[in-house]
Amino acid sequence: MFKLLKSYQLTNLLLIIFLTTALLLKYFIMSGAGIDTGTEEHSIYKWVIIFFNNIDAPALNKTLAFFLILFEALFFIVISNHYNLLGKRSYLPMLIYLLIITNTINSLNISAILFANILFLSAWMIIKKASGKDHALSNYFNASVLIAIASLFYFNYLYLVVILWINLIIVRGPKIREMILSILGVAVIWYFVFSYFYINDISFSGFGQKFILKLKFNDFFSIDLSEKITRLYIITLFTLSILSLFKYFNNLKIDIRNNLKLLFSIFIVGLLLIILTSASIEMVHLIAIPVSLFISNYLISMKKVFWSNVFLAGLILLTVFNVYFGFIIN
């Protein structure tokens, strides 16, 4: 099984799509509007809600949500394989990404974070295009504009500008002009937002509270037992993947080391956003990117294919149990 999935073939992509469809089929037949109606006053996601509420087609909403999840997974794996982030091309990270998402969601809904995450992936791709350039001012400005637009869907994505700075420091060293332009891109978008608020006499009261940091762990403990088991399993695999890297990290090519550093930074920033801000566990759409790549790298790098099969099969089986049979222990 593992030898099949780690190969870079179109059949693997089709197999992953089929498996994901089978896992998420449960949510298609569940009741519900298929759209997350939670939003904020400044968020342009409210226009998405109005549009789909007018259509009033739950089946269409769930289908679109499914394709958005599939698209972000496909988008992320295209970036990974095109830029060879791990030094080995495979569709395995896409499978693990979708398994992580499936273990976290409890319904199939269109939500603001799906749009925000796709915009962040677009920004990440623009930054990857800057590799090797002597001057990358436009890349960092354009990327920051996309992150700012993402924050109009899901405000906490605004903090991901830090990822641009981290990438800059890791790959190119601290460049003042690029850093300034990454701030300017955000400032331009939010200047238009504040102008719109002012022209339409919309109050800014309470806006400063969005930046208040407060420790919270509710998302980690207020979940069913089956979800706790699968998350613990994923955390264990991720921890093993990080520990295994220490053995050969210095022997990797510089580009691969830089990619891994940035991926770990994305994980840390995403985790801090869940713990310290109003962001919820749905930030897993962001965190699952580095986690799936690290776990995939660990499984592919294992000398004994038997154990790779065991770990991967365990993740798939636990996901099936959590989605379809979790009620037994919950």
Side-chain angles (χ1 to χ4, degrees):
M1 178 180 68
F2 180 75
K3 284 186 177 181
L4 171 66
L5 287 172
K6 80 172 185 178
S7 60
Y8 187 51
Q9 297 178 1
L10 182 60
T11 52
N12 288 339
L13 179 60
L14 298 176
L15 178 61
I16 291 169
I17 293 173
F18 173 79
L19 180 60
T20 304
T21 304
L23 287 171
L24 295 178
L25 187 62
K26 169 187 175 181
Y27 301 123
F28 278 102
I29 60 179
M30 288 175 60
S31 61
I35 184 166
D36 182 6
T37 56
T39 186
E40 297 171 310
E41 189 176 20
H42 75 274
S43 177
I44 58 179
Y45 175 66
K46 63 184 178 183
W47 300 110
V48 177
I49 296 174
I50 293 172
F51 176 78
F52 285 101
N53 280 342
N54 289 334
I55 295 177
D56 192 22
L60 175 63
N61 296 347
K62 294 176 183 180
T63 302
L64 181 57
F66 169 76
F67 280 112
L68 284 173
I69 292 172
L70 204 59
F71 178 76
E72 65 177 346
L74 184 59
F75 194 178
F76 130 72
I77 202 61
V78 166
I79 295 173
S80 174
N81 288 332
H82 180 74
Y83 293 102
N84 203 14
L85 297 183
L86 299 178
K88 47 186 83 74
R89 292 180 172 88
S90 169
Y91 286 116
L92 184 60
M94 179 181 177
L95 172 62
I96 295 176
Y97 179 88
L98 289 168
L99 290 174
I100 294 172
I101 298 298
T102 303
N103 277 304
T104 308
I105 62 176
N106 294 311
S107 58
L108 200 54
N109 293 328
I110 298 171
S111 63
I113 201 163
L114 291 174
F115 298 97
N117 207 45
I118 290 171
L119 286 166
F120 170 73
L121 287 169
S122 302
W124 188 21
M125 184 174 66
I126 290 174
I127 291 303
K128 291 304 297 180
K129 288 181 179 178
S131 300
K133 288 186 177 181
D134 293 330
H135 302 286
L137 298 176
S138 62
N139 294 78
Y140 279 87
F141 177 80
N142 294 338
S144 66
V145 166
L146 287 173
I147 288 177
I149 296 174
S151 71
L152 297 183
F153 283 94
Y154 198 91
F155 180 77
N156 290 289
Y157 266 61
L158 184 67
Y159 294 101
L160 296 186
V161 172
V162 174
I163 298 298
L164 302 185
W165 301 341
I166 294 173
N167 181 80
L168 187 64
I169 293 170
I170 291 174
V171 178
R172 306 169 64 86
K175 302 286 185 180
I176 300 300
R177 290 186 298 175
E178 279 88 344
M179 286 185 170
I180 291 175
L181 278 174
S182 65
I183 298 174
L184 185 61
V186 172
V188 167
I189 297 300
W190 277 93
Y191 169 78
F192 287 112
V193 173
F194 286 130
S195 298
Y196 174 81
F197 275 40
Y198 179 77
I199 292 172
N200 291 276
D201 196 26
I202 300 175
S203 174
F204 293 94
S205 61
F207 188 80
Q209 295 180 355
K210 297 180 184 295
F211 297 95
I212 296 176
L213 302 180
K214 183 180 179 181
L215 281 171
K216 61 181 179 63
F217 296 97
N218 292 340
D219 287 330
F220 292 94
F221 300 111
S222 58
I223 57 176
D224 292 330
L225 179 59
S226 62
E227 292 181 66
K228 290 178 181 178
I229 293 172
T230 53
R231 291 185 191 182
L232 182 61
Y233 186 81
I234 292 168
I235 291 170
T236 302
L237 282 181
F238 178 66
T239 304
L240 290 173
S241 69
I242 296 295
L243 294 176
S244 69
L245 272 175
F246 291 135
K247 299 177 183 178
Y248 58 89
F249 184 78
N250 291 330
N251 297 326
L252 296 172
K253 294 180 180 179
I254 294 176
D255 288 343
I256 306 301
R257 292 205 302 266
N258 290 340
N259 291 334
L260 292 173
K261 289 176 184 177
L262 180 64
L263 288 169
F264 190 71
S265 300
I266 293 174
F267 169 75
I268 294 297
V269 171
L271 187 62
L272 289 175
L273 288 179
I274 293 176
I275 296 173
L276 297 176
T277 72
S278 59
S280 67
I281 196 63
E282 62 186 353
M283 281 292 290
V284 73
H285 286 270
L286 173 71
I287 293 178
I289 294 172
V291 171
S292 60
L293 284 168
F294 274 108
I295 293 176
S296 298
N297 182 68
Y298 174 60
L299 295 179
I300 293 172
S301 301
M302 291 183 73
K303 294 181 180 179
K304 294 185 178 180
V305 179
F306 171 78
W307 287 111
S308 298
N309 279 314
V310 170
F311 288 140
L312 182 58
L315 180 57
I316 294 173
L317 291 174
L318 280 174
T319 303
V320 173
F321 178 81
N322 180 40
V323 172
Y324 285 103
F325 306 103
F327 67 89
I328 296 174
I329 61 174
N330 294 333

